[in-house]
Amino acid sequence: MNSKYLRLPQDASDPLYSGNEKESNGRGPQPPSLRNLILWLSLVVNILLSVSILLVLREKPTPNGFAKVDPLTTTWNQFWWNTAYSPKDHSDSDELWEAILPSHGFVAMDRSWAEQRQWPESMYLPSDHSKGVYLLEGYHQLHCLRILRKTFWEAVEHRPFTYHPSSHMEHCFDTLRQSVMCNADNTPLYTFGDKTAGNGQLHRCRDWNELRDFATENTACYRDSVGDIPLGEHFGYCDDGVDGLIAL
């Protein structure tokens, strides 16, 4: 029995049918309508927005106890096994180490400004009680490094101690330990078993120049002292805008 297929008449009331549409006349499927394109674009945009929101939600919010600071520019610096700060004869670098001024890192910030950024309350600047005094962490670490290095070589060479060994030095060792763990540098250092590792390798760093400039612009005009002096006598001594560190 031969079957004959007849085309059904299309109802103009059918929402899928428009009287303006033309038959394909065997030319294959027609391009999507403008309406369909808009729907697809809307869907894609919604998906992208949803992904973006999820990524933002994954970031942990800044805790209330964290002092908000402006991010420093990322730099790429080579780490060298030996530099002018670590020559074969340590005395050749004594002058370089002594030139470092950790006191450059003492800054005086407006109290209202600091409060808005969740900076903890700190001692006031003796000459201006509207400002609080802070020591930037990087300079605190330099302070500890200088003390530990100086004391180490004085002990090795049986010289009198400039800074008598005390619990303060234990604090310095522990401060550096905490800083190392906090930064958790996962740079993979190459080695060939020659008692060196990663000589000349690039590291992701923060721009120290920007930190120095921030300290210069907001200096508390603080000076260090080896012996104990009244707190107020530490202030009122501005440096010349440098911290003694040189780029190698």
Side-chain angles (χ1 to χ4, degrees):
M1 178 178 179
N2 294 329
S3 298
K4 185 176 181 180
Y5 295 93
L6 300 175
R7 180 187 173 108
L8 293 175
Q10 297 191 34
D11 186 355
S13 65
D14 189 337
L16 299 179
Y17 170 76
S18 170
N20 294 327
E21 293 180 357
K22 297 181 180 180
E23 295 182 4
S24 61
N25 296 324
R27 290 178 295 178
Q30 298 299 298
S33 66
L34 178 61
R35 179 184 177 188
N36 287 339
L37 285 175
I38 293 175
L39 289 174
W40 275 108
L41 287 175
S42 298
L43 179 62
V44 171
V45 170
N46 286 330
I47 292 175
L48 292 176
L49 285 175
S50 299
V51 171
S52 300
I53 292 173
L54 288 174
L55 290 175
V56 171
L57 292 176
R58 286 183 60 186
E59 295 182 3
K60 295 182 179 180
T62 303
N64 292 332
F66 182 75
K68 298 178 182 178
V69 294
D70 293 331
L72 299 175
T73 301
T74 296
T75 62
W76 301 94
N77 299 342
Q78 289 176 289
F79 279 22
W80 300 100
W81 195 256
N82 290 106
T83 71
Y85 286 95
S86 57
K88 291 183 178 179
D89 185 344
H90 78 86
S91 61
D92 291 340
S93 64
D94 285 346
E95 187 175 346
L96 280 176
W97 283 95
E98 289 298 320
I100 297 175
L101 296 177
S103 58
H104 186 80
F106 278 91
V107 296
M109 310 305 299
D110 178 80
R111 285 184 175 278
S112 298
W113 182 95
E115 183 179 3
Q116 292 173 1
R117 287 156 182 80
Q118 299 183 179
W119 287 31
E121 188 174 354
S122 189
M123 65 169 286
Y124 59 77
L125 185 67
S127 60
D128 186 350
H129 289 196
S130 70
K131 293 184 177 181
V133 176
Y134 300 86
L135 173 58
L136 301 177
E137 180 62 63
Y139 286 95
H140 175 219
Q141 294 167 16
L142 285 175
H143 159 77
C144 280
L145 272 176
R146 288 182 75 250
I147 288 179
L148 294 175
R149 178 187 181 277
K150 192 175 189 69
T151 304
F152 171 81
W153 285 115
E154 288 174 344
V156 169
E157 298 173 350
H158 306 288
R159 293 186 278 123
F161 290 125
T162 302
Y163 304 95
H164 192 77
S166 65
S167 59
H168 186 83
M169 294 187 181
E170 285 297 319
H171 148 76
C172 280
F173 279 116
D174 197 32
T175 286
L176 297 177
R177 176 196 64 81
Q178 292 179 69
S179 297
V180 169
M181 294 183 69
C182 177
N183 287 287
D185 189 345
N186 59 353
T187 303
L189 305 180
Y190 76 86
T191 181
F192 295 103
D194 56 356
K195 298 183 179 180
T196 64
N199 188 39
Q201 241 179 285
L202 285 174
H203 285 246
R204 185 198 302 270
C205 303
R206 295 170 182 165
D207 193 334
W208 185 267
N209 293 325
E210 290 184 6
L211 184 66
R212 178 194 291 120
D213 291 345
F214 178 84
T216 299
E217 293 167 5
N218 299 282
T219 181
C221 292
Y222 181 95
R223 64 168 176 169
D224 280 322
S225 69
V226 175
D228 291 332
I229 62 174
L231 181 60
E233 293 185 14
H234 283 282
F235 295 90
Y237 298 87
C238 298
D239 58 40
D240 57 2
V242 299
D243 57 15
L245 284 163
I246 60 173
L248 300 175

